[in-house]
Amino acid sequence: MSSTKNLESRPASSISGHNDMTFDAKSMNSQTCLQRNQIEKKQSILSRIVNTLWATRQTRDFNENADLLVKTTLKELIIYIIFLVVISIITFGMTSSINFYFTNVMMKLFLEQPNSNGVTFKDIGSIDDFWDVHSEPILNGLYWETEENATKPGYIYFENKLLGVPRLRQLRVKRGSCKVHSLFEKTISDCYDSYSYFNEDQSPFGIHEVYNSSDGENPFRYSSSDKVKASIVSGTFSTYGQGGYVKNLGLMMAESKELVENLKNHIWIDRGTRAVFLDFTIYNANINLFCQIRLLTEFPATGGAFSSWTFRTVKLIRYVTPMDYFVLACEIIFILFVLYYTIEEALEIKKHKLKYFKEVWNVLDVVILLLCYVCIGFNIYRVIEVNNVLDSLLTNINKFPDFDSLSYWQNQFNNAVAVVAFLSWIKFFKYISFNKTMTQLSSTLARCAKDIAGFAVMFYIVFFAYAQLGYLLFGAIVEDYSSFTNTLFSLFRTILGDFDFEALESASRYLGPIYFLSYVFFVFFVLLNMFLAIINDTYSDVKSDIAEQKSDFELGEYFKRGYDKILTKMHLKKDKILDIQEALAVADADGDKNLSFDEWRTELRKRGYADAEIEAYFAKYDQDGDKNLTEEERKQMEEDLKKQSNKIDNDMQKIHREASITSKDESDESEGSDNEHDEESKQNLVSHIEFNILTKRVDTMEASIGSIVNRIDSVLTKLDTIEQAKLKRREAMTKILDKLNNANSVKDDVQRAKLQEMIRQELEKWDEPLSVTPQRANSSRAVSPLTQSSSSLGGMRTKSSYKQQ
């Protein structure tokens, strides 16, 4: 009451404000609920999209749903096949057979052209050979200043543009970098060690003080790696640094020849020289290929000279022709695939946590994705860097263009892409592992891994023992055994049948043959056959196990079910067309050759079609909308129905044909196994007479068993009837006892007489014979206990009469 008075005493404005606040709160709650529902809808849509796009066998629970497992597996397989096709297009779009021919032409030009003495670059063996080769065949190959090429200087073979100018670079070692033995100190005053970073000489030498050059470069003064920007080069005898004594050649033949003669006359190469590099780059616009060439001549501490070379043919400008732009489109699709698989692997890692990395296939997925991101990053870097180098070259054509690092990293990029393609094809086994036949390789390797590991220890003990023995025995004479690494590869080649027995025999007449024969016996005949035996035994076990187990699912069964569904739908369409054709033939009841809508609907309703479907199909041909089909409209309908029927028949025949071909292939595959059991099955056949006798016996047994079953049913029915009769007797006894008690307690004679009459009637009913037929089951009683019951009731009746008197 007090609260009511307080509310009444409040002003109207405060009450209305309270109502407004309540309404605002309700509206805010409703808005919050709407926003929450919208968020939940968005989340459900997002989760549905994720489940549709990124559902895999590792992220989805199938709960023995075989069809869902097959669909998910097929989806993964189809998507991955498309990914493989894209990778193949990208990899084959980066290279072609023309790369080999371009490289081969350049190698023949600079490596196999002799000088006036018949010495080629490959044959360089001294400092004089170096100068002779570089001043004649090398310069002749770099500068084609002929009458045909006079208007286009700087072209090789008329088609290949020499970019910028070539560069000579020398690396030296310090004087006195090694120590002379005390016995030879007076005889040998100078000592030059092999090249190393610590022995590198960076001091000026020769005529560095008086040498003048128009370009300001002094080849007798050391240039740091920051200025030269060369790459680290691994040669035959050592690994060389990035700096050196540098001199660029000229744009024309005469200028370059004068520079080479000048360096030769001023003894630019002496005892301290350990390596001389000639670097230049060629571009062929016809095929859009760069060829970065390095000709290396090493002057080791042993004396003499040894030549080596590097030819890198790469495609640095990627997008020129329409095919290149098609590859660009495939690269964009490749990036989308990488993002798709990144999300897929992230979802799998989120679900399985660290258990994800226990499977080899999952680790392979992560490795492939990492390599893909490296390739994508380098692709972007190459496009930017090539443009910068070409812009710098075009501004100053007298400059040496640094394509060395670009060509090197382009080669590494090609190698990475090749590894990605290789691993991607290996990963294909992951998506076809549902077939038990496709798991033979992985199962065999996994099962024999321990045996192979134990065998490998034994094998490499013997192998390294022979490698060390061969290196120590023949390392100073035979080239294949000149280093421990070369010895290892030579022994592997010997296992495959590639060996030089004459070189071993010439190195040591007795030890060479003994070494070769013992190695072939122990390694080739014993150890290699033990390895093959391990593989064969394991494969036999895997083969027998696979024959007993079942595949995760059978694609044939899945496609067969789909085939049956298609046939069912086609049969339904066929039946529908037949119904319409029959209705069209009999619907014209009045015979006026005009089919009314009512006649049409009546006939199709008899065949179970809905009104909406009937009306839609009728309206399709009722062009004038008068609810009547003329003779022309009916003919049009009949023609369309006939065309549809023929099309369905053709489709069904085509499907049956394909199915028969498939079943024939399967039967051909299983024909061998069926033929093996033909003789056994023929032995188990019986004659026609024996078959008839067995059939009659089976029929007789079935009739006997049927009669026995009927009798058992009748006995069970009688038992049920007797049980019901017992229940009736209990109820009757209870009523009789209740009436006797009431009769003894009633004092009125009339009422007592009525009760006695009722008891007598009950007893008469009790004395009626029971029938055990099912028809009278509800009113029958058993006969066996009847005498006992009636006698006992008779005694009770006599006793009650006696008490009454």
Side-chain angles (χ1 to χ4, degrees):
M1 293 292 291
S2 60
S3 61
T4 305
K5 290 180 180 179
N6 292 332
L7 287 171
E8 291 175 353
S9 63
R10 289 180 184 177
S13 61
S14 64
I15 295 174
S16 62
H18 176 72
N19 292 333
D20 293 340
M21 292 175 62
T22 305
F23 178 76
D24 293 340
K26 291 181 179 179
S27 62
M28 289 177 64
N29 290 331
S30 63
Q31 291 177 359
T32 304
C33 292
L34 288 174
Q35 292 176 356
R36 191 179 300 130
N37 292 333
Q38 291 177 355
I39 293 172
E40 290 177 355
K41 285 183 179 179
K42 290 180 180 178
Q43 290 177 350
S44 63
I45 293 172
L46 182 62
S47 63
R48 197 178 304 128
I49 293 173
V50 170
N51 290 332
T52 303
L53 292 177
W54 287 282
T56 63
R57 286 176 290 177
Q58 294 185 348
T59 58
R60 174 172 279 181
D61 296 328
F62 298 101
N63 296 325
E64 299 182 356
N65 191 343
D67 288 344
L68 183 60
L69 176 61
V70 173
K71 290 179 181 178
T72 304
T73 304
L74 287 178
K75 187 202 76 172
E76 289 185 78
L77 182 61
I78 292 171
I79 292 175
Y80 193 73
I81 288 174
I82 297 173
F83 176 68
L84 280 180
V85 171
V86 171
I87 284 185
S88 300
I89 292 174
I90 292 174
T91 51
F92 287 116
M94 293 190 311
T95 184
S96 65
S97 59
I98 201 67
N99 292 34
F100 166 76
Y101 295 111
F102 184 38
T103 305
N104 192 35
V105 167
M106 294 296 106
M107 292 180 70
K108 287 182 178 180
L109 177 62
F110 293 104
L111 301 181
E112 299 179 5
Q113 295 297 322
N115 61 0
S116 56
N117 297 324
V119 179
T120 64
F121 181 82
K122 293 180 178 180
D123 302 328
I124 291 178
S126 63
I127 296 177
D128 293 336
D129 291 341
F130 173 85
W131 289 120
D132 293 341
V133 170
H134 281 73
S135 60
E136 293 183 20
I138 297 296
L139 292 183
N140 292 335
L142 286 172
Y143 303 100
W144 281 57
E145 297 178 5
T146 61
E147 294 181 359
E148 296 85 353
N149 204 27
T151 59
K152 299 169 66 176
Y155 280 86
I156 301 172
Y157 277 137
F158 309 106
E159 304 291 345
N160 307 288
K161 174 64 178 174
L162 177 63
L163 300 180
V165 295
R167 182 180 69 182
L168 283 170
R169 180 169 67 98
Q170 178 188 174
L171 289 172
R172 303 171 55 83
V173 294
K174 298 176 182 177
R175 182 179 179 181
S177 54
C178 56
K179 185 177 180 181
V180 180
H181 195 273
S182 57
L183 295 175
F184 295 94
E185 284 182 351
K186 295 181 179 180
T187 307
I188 302 174
S189 58
D190 296 331
C191 179
Y192 294 88
D193 199 358
S194 299
Y195 178 86
S196 69
Y197 175 78
F198 302 99
N199 294 335
E200 184 180 1
D201 186 12
Q202 299 182 1
S203 60
F205 73 99
I207 59 169
H208 64 90
E209 295 182 352
V210 298
Y211 185 85
N212 293 321
S213 176
S214 58
D215 56 4
E217 292 180 349
N218 192 336
F220 296 92
R221 290 186 178 273
Y222 184 82
S223 298
S224 64
S225 58
D226 296 334
K227 183 178 180 181
V228 177
K229 296 181 180 179
S231 59
I232 297 175
V233 180
S234 179
T236 305
F237 298 94
S238 184
T239 301
Y240 302 99
Q242 298 172 294
Y245 301 85
V246 177
K247 181 60 181 175
N248 291 338
L249 301 182
L251 290 173
M252 304 300 289
M253 174 78 166
E255 181 183 0
S256 297
K257 195 162 190 176
E258 182 181 355
L259 289 172
V260 171
E261 290 294 332
N262 191 12
L263 294 176
K264 177 183 177 181
N265 295 332
H266 291 92
I267 314 177
W268 189 59
I269 299 176
D270 57 11
R271 290 183 60 191
T273 303
R274 287 293 173 261
V276 177
F277 300 88
L278 176 62
D279 297 307
F280 54 95
T281 304
I282 297 170
Y283 174 69
N284 189 310
N286 299 335
I287 54 178
N288 188 27
L289 288 178
F290 289 82
C291 186
Q292 197 276 327
I293 301 172
R294 174 184 294 119
L295 303 178
L296 170 60
T297 306
E298 297 179 81
F299 301 90
T302 59
F306 298 87
S307 60
S308 59
W309 50 89
T310 302
F311 288 77
R312 296 197 191 109
T313 301
V314 292
K315 189 175 183 179
L316 297 177
I317 302 176
R318 292 293 302 275
Y319 313 114
V320 177
T321 63
M323 181 62 187
D324 294 336
Y325 284 102
F326 174 71
V327 173
L328 174 62
C330 293
E331 290 175 352
I332 295 173
I333 297 173
F334 172 77
I335 294 173
L336 296 178
F337 267 111
V338 171
L339 296 176
Y340 171 83
Y341 281 115
T342 301
I343 297 173
E344 180 180 294
E345 301 306 319
L347 292 175
E348 292 180 359
I349 293 173
K350 181 181 178 182
K351 181 176 181 179
H352 298 284
K353 303 296 188 298
L354 294 177
K355 294 180 181 178
Y356 170 85
F357 296 98
K358 290 184 178 181
E359 292 190 13
V360 178
W361 293 120
N362 295 335
V363 177
L364 182 62
D365 292 341
V366 175
V367 171
I368 291 174
L369 285 176
L370 292 177
L371 289 175
C372 288
Y373 279 111
V374 170
C375 294
I376 292 171
F378 177 79
N379 210 10
I380 299 171
Y381 161 77
R382 183 199 58 236
V383 173
I384 298 172
E385 190 65 20
V386 167
N387 291 332
N388 294 334
V389 174
L390 290 178
D391 292 340
S392 175
L393 176 64
L394 293 175
T395 55
N396 186 7
I397 62 174
N398 294 321
K399 181 181 177 183
F400 171 75
D402 185 17
F403 283 96
D404 181 46
S405 60
L406 269 177
S407 61
Y408 171 79
W409 287 111
Q410 177 64 33
N411 265 352
Q412 303 309 311
F413 169 77
N414 295 343
N415 296 337
V417 172
V419 172
V420 169
F422 171 77
L423 296 178
S424 299
W425 279 105
I426 296 299
K427 183 185 170 183
F428 193 70
F429 283 103
K430 173 184 177 181
Y431 295 99
I432 59 175
S433 60
F434 59 84
N435 192 321
K436 60 183 181 181
T437 306
M438 298 301 173
T439 60
Q440 293 182 11
L441 176 62
S442 58
S443 300
T444 302
L445 294 178
R447 187 172 296 187
C448 68
K450 293 182 179 179
D451 295 334
I452 290 178
F455 170 79
V457 175
M458 178 173 54
F459 175 81
Y460 282 111
I461 289 174
V462 177
F463 186 78
F464 281 111
Y466 271 99
Q468 187 174 7
L469 177 62
Y471 173 61
L472 296 176
L473 289 178
F474 314 112
I477 304 172
V478 182
E479 182 180 2
D480 290 342
Y481 295 83
S482 58
S483 66
F484 189 72
T485 305
N486 291 341
T487 304
L488 293 175
F489 285 112
S490 297
L491 293 180
F492 275 118
R493 286 163 50 196
T494 303
I495 295 176
L496 300 177
D498 181 14
F499 53 86
D500 188 0
F501 177 75
E502 294 179 356
L504 294 177
E505 188 178 20
S506 61
S508 179
R509 186 175 181 181
Y510 299 105
L511 291 177
I514 293 174
Y515 173 83
F516 176 77
L517 293 175
S518 62
Y519 175 78
V520 169
F521 176 76
F522 284 108
V523 176
F524 185 77
F525 288 108
V526 178
L527 295 178
L528 185 60
N529 284 286
M530 287 177 62
F531 173 76
L532 295 177
I534 293 172
I535 298 293
N536 289 332
D537 291 343
T538 307
Y539 179 74
S540 300
D541 296 339
V542 171
K543 190 77 173 177
S544 60
D545 293 343
I546 287 176
E548 296 176 357
Q549 70 182 14
K550 293 183 178 180
S551 300
D552 294 342
F553 55 84
E554 293 292 342
L555 284 180
E557 294 294 330
Y558 177 75
F559 288 119
K560 186 178 180 182
R561 289 196 297 271
Y563 162 75
D564 293 338
K565 290 180 181 178
I566 293 173
L567 284 182
T568 303
K569 290 180 180 179
M570 287 186 174
H571 282 300
L572 291 175
K573 289 182 179 179
K574 181 75 174 177
D575 295 340
K576 183 177 179 180
I577 292 173
L578 292 175
D579 289 341
I580 295 173
Q581 287 176 341
E582 292 175 0
L584 190 62
V586 301
D588 189 10
D590 52 7
D592 58 353
K593 296 185 179 181
N594 288 331
L595 181 63
S596 65
F597 177 73
D598 293 334
E599 294 172 341
W600 172 262
R601 181 171 58 185
T602 301
E603 288 297 328
L604 287 183
R605 273 184 175 179
K606 293 178 182 178
R607 290 165 172 80
Y609 288 91
D611 290 341
E613 190 175 3
I614 296 170
E615 185 176 357
Y617 202 83
F618 188 87
K620 180 179 179 182
Y621 295 94
D622 187 14
Q623 299 178 358
D624 50 7
D626 59 351
K627 296 292 184 178
N628 286 309
L629 292 180
T630 62
E631 188 175 358
E632 294 180 357
E633 292 173 342
R634 288 178 61 182
K635 288 182 178 180
Q636 182 65 33
M637 182 186 290
E638 291 175 354
E639 290 178 0
D640 291 347
L641 290 173
K642 188 174 182 180
K643 289 179 181 178
Q644 293 177 12
S645 178
N646 293 333
K647 184 177 183 301
I648 292 174
D649 291 338
N650 293 332
D651 293 340
M652 291 177 68
Q653 290 176 3
K654 183 178 179 181
I655 293 174
H656 280 302
R657 222 170 17 248
E658 293 176 353
S660 63
I661 292 172
T662 305
S663 61
K664 184 179 179 181
D665 293 339
E666 294 176 354
S667 63
D668 291 340
E669 292 177 359
S670 59
E671 184 177 357
S673 59
D674 293 340
N675 290 333
E676 294 177 359
H677 303 285
D678 284 345
E679 295 182 358
E680 183 178 356
S681 61
K682 289 179 181 178
Q683 294 176 359
N684 295 329
L685 294 177
V686 296
S687 64
H688 184 68
I689 298 173
E690 293 176 347
F691 177 76
N692 291 332
I693 294 172
L694 291 174
T695 304
K696 291 179 180 179
R697 289 180 181 177
V698 170
D699 293 338
T700 305
M701 290 177 64
E702 288 180 352
S704 302
I705 291 171
S707 62
I708 292 171
V709 170
N710 292 332
R711 291 178 182 179
I712 291 172
D713 290 339
S714 63
V715 170
L716 291 175
T717 303
K718 291 178 181 180
L719 292 175
D720 291 338
T721 305
I722 293 171
E723 187 66 26
Q724 292 177 1
K726 287 182 179 180
L727 293 175
K728 291 287 185 179
R729 286 198 298 272
R730 288 196 189 96
E731 293 177 357
M733 287 292 296
T734 303
K735 290 180 181 180
I736 291 170
L737 291 174
D738 292 339
K739 290 178 181 180
L740 286 173
N741 292 330
N742 292 331
N744 293 329
S745 61
V746 174
K747 296 179 180 180
D748 191 359
D749 294 338
V750 177
Q751 292 181 355
R752 187 181 294 111
K754 290 180 178 180
L755 288 173
Q756 289 178 356
E757 182 64 22
M758 292 173 62
I759 293 170
R760 186 181 60 79
Q761 292 176 358
E762 292 290 337
L763 290 174
E764 288 176 356
K765 292 179 180 179
W766 185 259
D767 292 336
E768 290 179 359
L770 293 173
S771 176
V772 293
T773 58
Q775 291 79 7
R776 300 178 58 188
N778 294 332
S779 59
S780 62
R781 292 177 176 84
V783 180
S784 57
L786 184 59
T787 307
Q788 183 180 358
S789 301
S790 60
S791 62
S792 61
L793 289 172
M796 292 173 63
R797 184 171 53 191
T798 305
K799 186 177 180 179
S800 62
S801 299
Y802 176 76
K803 286 183 179 181
Q804 183 179 4
Q805 293 175 0

